[in-house]
Amino acid sequence: MNKIKWLGLLFVAGGLCLLGYQAIESIMAEGEVYRNYSLTDIFGIDVFAWAAGIRYDSIADGIEYVITMPAYLLSVIVGAFFLIISGIFAR
């Protein structure tokens, strides 16, 4: 397996581990509902302050969507992308 395939597997495994952590956290916490972590929850809002300065609305909306989407889903999508690229260029 080449490096891109390993990277894809690592991202998928990390995303699934994060999903499992969120599920276990929701079971263990009393009175708290299931919560999805996003990149802003993990790194903080100040890290992504640069996204507010983008002038093009469609690009800014896309970046904001990626920043606020669940982190496990983002990780699984990136991992699947790397696995597909690895499968296409396997030769």
Side-chain angles (χ1 to χ4, degrees):
M1 293 174 130
N2 58 13
K3 293 178 184 178
I4 301 227
K5 189 178 285 186
W6 280 110
L7 187 62
L9 289 173
L10 182 68
F11 269 103
V12 169
L16 294 177
C17 286
L18 184 59
L19 180 63
Y21 172 76
Q22 289 174 179
I24 291 172
E25 182 185 37
S26 69
I27 292 171
M28 299 297 288
E30 293 181 18
E32 195 170 316
V33 296
Y34 182 79
R35 179 176 165 217
N36 282 321
Y37 289 111
S38 65
L39 292 179
T40 56
D41 293 332
I42 295 171
F43 297 113
I45 297 172
D46 297 336
V47 175
F48 300 106
W50 58 268
I54 296 176
R55 294 183 181 164
Y56 300 107
D57 290 335
S58 60
I59 295 174
D61 291 342
I63 290 174
E64 185 165 339
Y65 178 75
V66 169
I67 290 171
T68 58
M69 74 186 299
Y72 78 89
L73 186 61
L74 179 64
S75 180
V76 169
I77 290 171
V78 169
F81 175 75
F82 282 138
L83 288 174
I84 290 170
I85 295 297
S86 172
I88 290 173
F89 298 112
R91 299 175 195 203

